[in-house]
Amino acid sequence: MKYLIIENGCGYYCLDGCNTSKKSLDKITKEDLLTLVELCVEEEDFEMDTYDSSLVKNAAHQIIYKNIFQKLEDIIQRRVSFADEKNSLYRKAIEKYSSEIDEQNTDNE
């Protein structure tokens, strides 16, 4: 699903991957940016139109689109390492609390 879109010389974003609910990039909020980052990390089919300054005629949209596109592209490239780090973090916590529960159960017997 496409979340960052270039159309009619302007940049758009959508948070549900559906072109019908797209919003102009100059209206993006901090919460919308955070949602895009979360979607970028979680969604396997996260898509964006590749940035091309010749396709984006609005100067403000060029700047915004280019910066968001580059950051999200970096996140996509690092998605695997994010997942590994997250799994490692949870694995350590699960092992720690599992051992504590086992010790408590052993003490109670």
Side-chain angles (χ1 to χ4, degrees):
M1 299 216 266
K2 199 174 284 191
Y3 294 91
L4 212 51
I5 305 152
I6 297 174
E7 191 174 273
N8 299 323
C10 294
Y12 299 93
Y13 72 99
C14 68
L15 302 177
D16 61 3
C18 182
N19 255 356
T20 58
S21 64
K22 67 184 178 218
K23 298 177 186 175
S24 177
L25 268 180
D26 57 355
K27 306 283 190 238
I28 198 163
T29 66
K30 179 175 80 170
E31 290 79 19
D32 292 340
L33 283 170
L34 289 172
T35 301
L36 279 174
V37 169
E38 288 174 7
L39 289 166
C40 181
V41 170
E42 295 171 1
E43 297 292 324
E44 290 293 323
D45 62 345
F46 187 92
E47 294 180 20
M48 307 178 287
D49 285 336
T50 303
Y51 174 74
D52 181 347
S53 60
S54 67
L55 297 177
V56 183
K57 306 300 182 201
N58 182 311
H61 286 220
Q62 279 183 351
I63 294 167
I64 297 167
Y65 196 98
K66 180 180 179 182
N67 285 301
I68 292 173
F69 177 82
Q70 288 174 337
K71 298 299 182 198
L72 294 177
E73 189 69 21
D74 289 344
I75 291 170
I76 289 170
Q77 298 299 322
R78 296 177 46 204
R79 184 184 296 158
V80 172
S81 66
F82 284 148
D84 290 345
E85 287 176 36
K86 179 177 73 174
N87 291 337
S88 175
L89 178 67
Y90 287 129
R91 187 177 319 111
K92 289 176 187 175
I94 289 170
E95 288 171 0
K96 177 184 174 188
Y97 292 114
S98 293
S99 66
E100 287 178 10
I101 290 172
D102 289 341
E103 288 175 15
Q104 287 176 356
N105 288 340
T106 304
D107 292 342
N108 290 336
E109 290 178 354

